């Protein structure tokens, strides 16, 4: 079976990675437009670098949870062809063993040079860090898709949705586009659709089936 799995912050919540819209959510401490927009970066690059440096450093103290591991197991099933499309910028899917993962909103462990357009694996702070390994310019920014910027690999994602038998959405509020529109596209392409989330998301009624509860419980139960 061809399965496309969309994940959001909710799948990493039980690993200790804050979600965005929960009361203690990431955005709580920051105005989205200040830390996740090109304009915010132009206005105060230090504040934005610090925001992402803190999140990158936090990766060292979190681990994949049973939901991440269950998806990695599912990918091993010879009967299935699984693509994980994640809105998350953490590396927990890969650390759990998933191999076909698309980070449509970028990755904390990657830096992008605004001068030479180079991208570099990065696990250190960018603030006060060295110049670009490619061109030496001090124009490195987090390799993250900010609001108003085009998400990555939309063609590959659309191709996968076209060929999918099943579209599964895990741990996302369905508040941010174009990711929130994937269920509509998947349905239009004839795929069955399933929501696994703590509570109904904004697009919950679009799904053929919904199972609500913590991802660390409902995802392994669904995979088994
Ligand atoms: C706010 C929203 C209305 N705005 C948008 O959608 C905008 C504008 C827009 C575009 N099209 C539209 C159509 C209509 C309206 C608006 C728009 N979209 C964009 O700007 C996108 C780019 C959006 C990407 C922004 N970057 C992020 N992330 C990286 C940064 C960072 O991480 O710092 S978005 C970020 O927020 C979103 C957060 O959502 P979730 O992951 O779902 O997290 P949330 O906290 O909201 O919810 C958690 C869920 O989990 C559940 N949960 C909690 N615990 C658990 C648990 N334990 N188990 C299970 N579930 C759990 C909760 O119940 C909840 O449902 C994610 O996408 C995340 O990646 N770009 C673009 O459209 O470009 C155009 C373009 C076109 C051509 C040329 C150039 C440009």
């Amino acid at each position: 079976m061809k399965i496309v799995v969309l994940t959001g912050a909710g799948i990493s919540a039980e690993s200790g990675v804050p979600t965005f819209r929960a009361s203690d959510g990431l955005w709580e401490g920051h105005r989205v437009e200040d830390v996740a927009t090109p304009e915010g970066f132009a206005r105060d690059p230090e504040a934005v670098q610090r925001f992402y440096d803190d999140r990158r450093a936090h990766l060292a103290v979190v681990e994949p949870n049973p939901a991440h591991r269950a998806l990695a197991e599912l990918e091993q099933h010879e009967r299935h062809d699984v693509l994980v499309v994640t809105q998350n910028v953490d590396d927990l899917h890969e650390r759990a063993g998933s191999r076909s993962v698309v980070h449509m909103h970028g990755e904390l462990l990657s830096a992008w040079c605004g001068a030479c357009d180079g991208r570099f694996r990065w696990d250190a702070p960018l603030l006060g860090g060295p110049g670009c390994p490619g061109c030496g310019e001090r124009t490195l920014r987090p390799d993250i898709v900010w609001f108003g910027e085009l998400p990555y690999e939309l063609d590959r994602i659309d191709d996968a949705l076209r060929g999918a038998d099943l579209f599964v959405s895990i741990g996302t509020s369905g508040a941010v586009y174009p990711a929130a529109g994937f269920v509509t596209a998947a349905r239009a392409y004839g795929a069955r659709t399933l929501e696994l989330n703590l509570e109904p998301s904004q697009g919950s009624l679009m799904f053929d089936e919904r199972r609500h509860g913590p991802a660390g419980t409902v995802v392994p139960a669904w995979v088994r």
Side-chain angles (χ1 to χ4, degrees):
M1 187 164 38
K2 283 181 173 299
I3 307 174
V4 174
V5 181
L6 173 70
T7 65
I11 198 170
S12 295
E14 291 155 75
S15 295
V17 179
T19 63
F20 290 77
R21 286 174 178 72
S23 58
D24 63 347
L26 268 175
W27 306 132
E28 275 298 318
H30 304 270
R31 281 166 5 105
V32 174
E33 47 282 4
D34 289 344
V35 290
T37 62
E39 299 76 21
F41 186 63
R43 245 191 336 268
D44 187 349
E46 293 210 357
V48 173
Q49 296 283 33
R50 197 170 297 110
F51 175 67
Y52 288 100
D53 283 352
D54 293 349
R55 291 170 65 188
R56 190 178 303 107
H58 189 240
L59 291 179
V61 297
V62 297
E63 293 296 330
N65 65 57
H68 298 105
R69 288 196 288 277
L71 290 182
E73 280 159 36
L74 182 69
E75 191 180 316
Q76 300 311 316
H77 290 188
E78 63 288 337
R79 294 195 316 286
H80 299 317
D81 168 353
V82 177
L83 178 69
V84 173
V85 176
T86 188
Q87 300 166 80
N88 300 343
V89 295
D90 64 52
D91 63 339
L92 296 179
H93 282 301
E94 289 87 350
R95 281 161 56 189
S98 284
R99 287 293 154 267
S100 64
V101 181
V102 171
H103 284 270
M104 70 178 292
H105 292 163
E107 300 175 68
L108 287 167
L109 296 177
S110 179
W112 178 21
C113 176
C116 71
D117 198 31
R119 283 183 164 80
F120 309 93
R121 299 313 293 167
W122 205 272
D123 61 4
L126 277 168
L127 192 57
C132 167
C135 69
E137 295 294 322
R138 303 193 66 75
T139 45
L140 289 176
R141 59 162 270 185
D143 186 9
I144 301 279
V145 176
W146 288 325
F147 287 91
E149 295 183 325
L150 196 63
Y152 296 156
E153 304 202 59
L154 289 179
D155 296 343
R156 179 180 173 194
I157 295 168
D158 191 57
D159 290 349
L161 290 172
R162 269 173 206 285
D165 304 301
L166 176 62
F167 173 75
V168 185
S169 177
I170 303 174
T172 185
S173 58
V176 171
Y177 288 79
F182 290 167
V183 60
T184 309
R187 287 177 69 87
Y189 294 142
R192 246 171 9 85
T193 57
L194 168 65
E195 173 176 78
L196 303 177
N197 211 50
L198 193 62
E199 63 204 348
S201 71
Q202 292 183 18
S204 199
L205 298 179
M206 298 291 294
F207 290 84
D208 299 311
E209 185 188 350
R210 291 161 285 280
R211 299 185 194 178
H212 295 137
T217 307
V218 293
V219 177
W222 167 66
V223 167
R224 255 197 304 281

